[in-house]
Amino acid sequence: MNITLKVWKQKNNNERGRFETYQVKEVSPDMSFLEMFDVLNEDLITEGKEPIAFDHDCREGICGMCSMYINGRPHGPLQGVTTCQLHMRSFRDGDTIVVEPWRAAAFPVIKDLAVDRSAFDRIMAAGGFVSVNTGNAQDANNILIPKTDADLAFEAAACIGCGACVAACKNSSAMLFVSAKVSQLALLPQGQVERQERVISMVNQMDEEGFGSCTNTGACEAECPKSISVENIARLNREYLSAKITK
Amino acid sequence: MSSNNFLSLFNSSVGKKVIMAVTGLFICVFLIVHVAGNFQLFKADSGLSFNKYAVLMTTNPFIKTISYLLYTFIIVHAIRGIMIEIENRRARPVKYAKYNGNANSKWASRNMGILGTILLVFIVVHMHDFWYNYKFGHTPFTLYKTELATGNLVDVKDMGPDFKMGSKMEEMMAGDYKYVIVKDLYKEVKEEFKRLLWVVFYVVCMGAVSFHLYHGFRSGFQSLGLNSRKYNNVFQTIGTWVFAIIIPLSFAAMPLYFYFNQ
Ligand code: HEM
Ligand code: SF4
Ligand code: FES
């Protein structure tokens, strides 16, 4: 396959970026999208040009690093996958593919396609945990959890913090991410102690980071590689409202 | 922990949406009442029932209180909505060069701000033409004479532009007849919709109502945290059939009816 790539190049967050066009020849349909970038970068380095900066780590859909906004959609044309799980067979020979970074005020560009998602870390640090004092773990069967709750918590816990929800949302809202992180703990007994402080702190932090507010377009759910449901956003709204009213 | 008092709720991204949802859904309930009342425009009684209904709606203290609450809610909804739209645009200072919104969301859900702005223009024009003129303008009076025994309308008389009366409606019995003099809002409606431009404007705006509520009705419940696998279909079905189809079509039928029956 021969592919024309239009890739966003930007030195740092203070410089203005622009698109650069690259020709990638003899691409195998079995390459992952990131491998195609590796090949391109190898060529660029050989030619003495600057390679394209992009984030990646696990390359198996679990770390959430591989942020790329491909042809108008986060992680490209497929549903329920990350960029590292996208293969060139999803494109056609001769295609022109436009690749941009996640675009949000809260995710400043570090370089080219790599953006700074530490806003998510700060939201997690604000309350996305349970404070467990050390000691022996008790027998799991002592804490009974309804299967449905366990399943819902598990589904929410599948969030890998990739930020595709923010990238997809026309408002750059982080509600799907925050709702997943609030839900996974609100649904379980271990999360009860800090339940109210948690949701208030995390929403406060989310707002401080400059994410937009949710208008329920559902774009996040549709683009989430882990198919996190917007039901979690409704749960976040309930959790936040009841915490604000009763606390 | 910062700002944990109750009122700070409404400055948070979740609370802003609660304001939008409560005001928006309240306006939705009003629309049902409004469309049901306006069906009296189709009654073949030269507007008598409609005019009586208009008097009731503007004099009954309970209904008046609700109306002022409604006006407040519309203003709050519009201002908050426009602010949310601006804040949300600011959350993405650099736009995508290539954006495929249709791949993941519905058009209506992405254009609530534009649809809402059309509705705001509509509400201002509509309130001026009917509410303001009825209350402060020169809405004429009409005399309706009905036969008491049969209830048949036997005479309708225009009271002329110079006629004035302290109240909006007076009823008198004399002999076998009942006389009603009432402010004739019906006539204002009829005059307004003789003009094609106005008819087109109204019909287009009802299209905006349709799209706004196709997304908005269901969305309001989600914003309040009401999302359950059991009821989601119910919310969306009501949103689609009642608020995006039946109500806008019924409203749009009114100008069309007057335009084609003049
Ligand atoms: C016929 C009158 C109107 C009705 C019945 C109505 C109803 C609604 C409803 C139910 C929602 C959903 C709320 C939510 O998702 O929480 C909504 C959202 C919205 N409305 Fe309206 N609305 C009306 C007029 C307006 C006007 C005049 C404006 C502004 C100029 C406006 C702007 C908006 C915006 C921007 C949203 C999206 C806000 C968000 O989702 O956060 N609406 N409307
Ligand atoms: S909710 Fe989905 S899209 Fe958003 S950060 Fe988590 S995994 Fe990524
Ligand atoms: S590189 Fe880890 S999810 Fe793609």
Side-chain angles (χ1 to χ4, degrees):
Chain A
M1 297 168 76
N2 292 323
I3 299 287
T4 306
L5 278 183
K6 288 179 85 173
V7 181
W8 186 257
K9 289 284 290 173
Q10 185 173 345
K11 262 211 178 79
N12 55 51
N13 197 37
N14 301 321
E15 302 272 320
R16 284 192 59 188
R18 77 208 129 70
F19 280 102
E20 191 89 54
T21 306
Y22 302 91
Q23 305 296 334
V24 200
K25 299 225 158 52
E26 288 162 37
V27 174
S28 154
D30 296 328
M31 276 181 185
S32 79
F33 202 78
L34 297 186
E35 282 165 342
M36 187 261 301
F37 263 77
D38 293 338
V39 169
L40 171 61
N41 273 348
E42 286 290 335
D43 290 348
L44 289 173
I45 292 166
T46 319
E47 291 166 31
K49 291 186 186 147
E50 212 193 37
I52 302 158
F54 65 93
D55 268 327
H56 61 100
D57 189 13
C58 71
R59 301 215 175 191
E60 55 179 358
I62 55 172
C63 76
M65 282 308 283
C66 50
S67 55
M68 283 192 191
Y69 195 86
I70 302 160
N71 278 347
R73 299 179 65 183
H75 297 142
L78 301 185
Q79 277 198 329
V81 297
T82 50
T83 307
C84 57
Q85 295 170 304
L86 174 69
H87 292 84
M88 294 314 293
R89 52 181 169 269
S90 294
F91 300 89
R92 268 174 299 174
D93 187 27
D95 272 1
T96 298
I97 307 173
V98 180
V99 188
E100 299 172 70
W102 285 177
R103 294 202 189 277
F107 287 164
V109 171
I110 299 169
K111 190 174 194 270
D112 302 342
L113 301 173
V115 297
D116 178 358
R117 282 168 281 182
S118 57
F120 273 10
D121 301 339
R122 289 188 291 274
I123 293 173
M124 290 305 277
F129 49 81
V130 283
S131 309
V132 181
N133 295 320
T134 48
N136 286 339
Q138 52 177 314
D139 187 84
N141 291 325
N142 284 345
I143 309 170
L144 299 180
I145 302 167
K147 174 83 166 91
T148 45
D149 288 356
D151 285 348
L152 288 172
F154 192 80
E155 282 168 26
C159 167
I160 53 176
C162 63
C165 42
V166 175
C169 176
K170 79 167 186 59
N171 311 315
S172 302
S173 166
M175 286 286 274
L176 194 65
F177 167 75
V178 176
S179 73
K181 298 305 180 191
V182 164
S183 291
Q184 67 183 5
L185 298 176
L187 285 159
L188 296 178
Q190 292 86 344
Q192 299 312 306
V193 181
E194 290 145 312
R195 186 170 176 175
Q196 297 197 317
E197 294 99 272
R198 172 182 307 116
V199 65
I200 291 173
S201 306
M202 290 180 81
V203 168
N204 282 349
Q205 191 62 39
M206 171 180 85
D207 288 350
E208 263 168 48
E209 297 292 347
F211 293 103
S213 56
C214 174
T215 54
N216 303 327
T217 66
C220 51
E221 175 185 283
E223 298 292 8
C224 171
K226 301 297 155 188
S227 304
I228 304 287
S229 162
V230 295
E231 281 176 23
N232 291 296
I233 296 183
R235 183 177 299 103
L236 172 63
N237 292 339
R238 287 198 297 277
E239 291 287 324
Y240 183 78
L241 288 176
S242 71
K244 274 295 202 185
I245 289 166
T246 58
K247 225 185 135 57
Chain B
M1 193 170 304
S2 62
S3 62
N4 191 11
N5 61 336
F6 177 67
L7 282 182
S8 67
L9 160 67
F10 297 109
N11 287 326
S12 69
S13 52
V14 176
K16 285 172 198 169
K17 289 305 306 290
V18 170
I19 294 176
M20 290 308 286
V22 170
T23 52
L25 291 176
F26 187 85
I27 307 170
C28 285
V29 175
F30 157 75
L31 285 186
I32 298 179
V33 178
H34 192 33
V35 81
N38 282 14
F39 265 116
Q40 296 175 78
L41 284 168
F42 296 130
K43 251 186 144 173
D45 63 355
S46 302
L48 177 59
S49 330
F50 179 74
N51 287 334
K52 279 184 163 174
Y53 161 75
V55 173
L56 172 79
M57 295 306 274
T58 51
T59 51
N60 179 300
F62 176 73
I63 297 176
K64 266 173 87 169
T65 313
I66 301 278
S67 319
Y68 284 104
L69 186 67
L70 174 72
Y71 305 150
T72 315
F73 274 19
I74 292 176
I75 293 166
V76 170
H77 184 89
I79 293 176
R80 206 62 195 97
I82 292 169
M83 281 167 67
I84 287 179
E85 184 70 26
I86 294 170
E87 291 157 5
N88 284 348
R89 277 169 196 246
R90 233 181 255 147
R92 175 161 297 146
V94 184
K95 305 282 169 248
Y96 289 112
K98 187 161 180 181
Y99 173 70
N100 185 358
N102 286 327
N104 52 39
S105 54
K106 297 217 169 76
W107 182 87
S109 75
R110 299 193 307 273
N111 290 281
M112 294 297 276
I114 294 164
L115 292 165
T117 307
I118 298 174
L119 293 184
L120 184 63
V121 172
F122 172 77
I123 293 169
V124 171
V125 171
H126 181 62
M127 290 289 279
H128 170 265
D129 287 359
F130 295 117
W131 180 83
Y132 179 84
N133 270 344
Y134 187 68
K135 254 189 123 119
F136 306 109
H138 312 285
T139 304
F141 283 85
T142 295
L143 172 74
Y144 294 89
K145 179 177 171 190
T146 33
E147 199 174 9
L148 278 174
T150 59
N152 285 342
L153 192 63
V154 288
D155 196 18
V156 180
K157 209 174 117 220
D158 189 348
M159 300 300 288
D162 297 327
F163 180 85
K164 291 237 158 30
M165 203 165 77
S167 60
K168 292 185 180 115
M169 177 166 82
E170 294 296 339
E171 292 180 293
M172 289 151 283
M173 310 284 185
D176 294 338
Y177 297 100
K178 181 177 170 186
Y179 297 86
V180 182
I181 299 181
V182 60
K183 250 189 169 179
D184 198 351
L185 187 61
Y186 181 81
K187 183 177 247 156
E188 300 263 17
V189 176
K190 225 165 88 175
E191 290 301 317
E192 178 107 336
F193 297 135
K194 279 185 177 157
R195 288 175 292 171
L196 181 62
L197 190 67
W198 252 209
V199 175
V200 172
F201 174 69
Y202 267 71
V203 172
V204 168
C205 289
M206 290 312 108
V209 169
S210 170
F211 282 106
H212 198 73
L213 297 184
Y214 174 64
H215 175 68
F217 184 73
R218 158 84 188 273
S219 170
F221 289 95
Q222 168 83 2
S223 297
L224 296 172
L226 301 170
N227 176 324
S228 79
R229 290 177 197 188
K230 212 163 157 187
Y231 296 115
N232 281 345
N233 283 339
V234 179
F235 299 148
Q236 188 57 62
T237 308
I238 296 175
T240 305
W241 282 97
V242 178
F243 288 99
I245 298 176
I246 299 174
I247 289 186
L249 273 184
S250 308
F251 276 128
M254 291 161 194
L256 291 170
Y257 169 84
F258 284 100
Y259 185 74
F260 290 108
N261 281 308
Q262 41 179 296

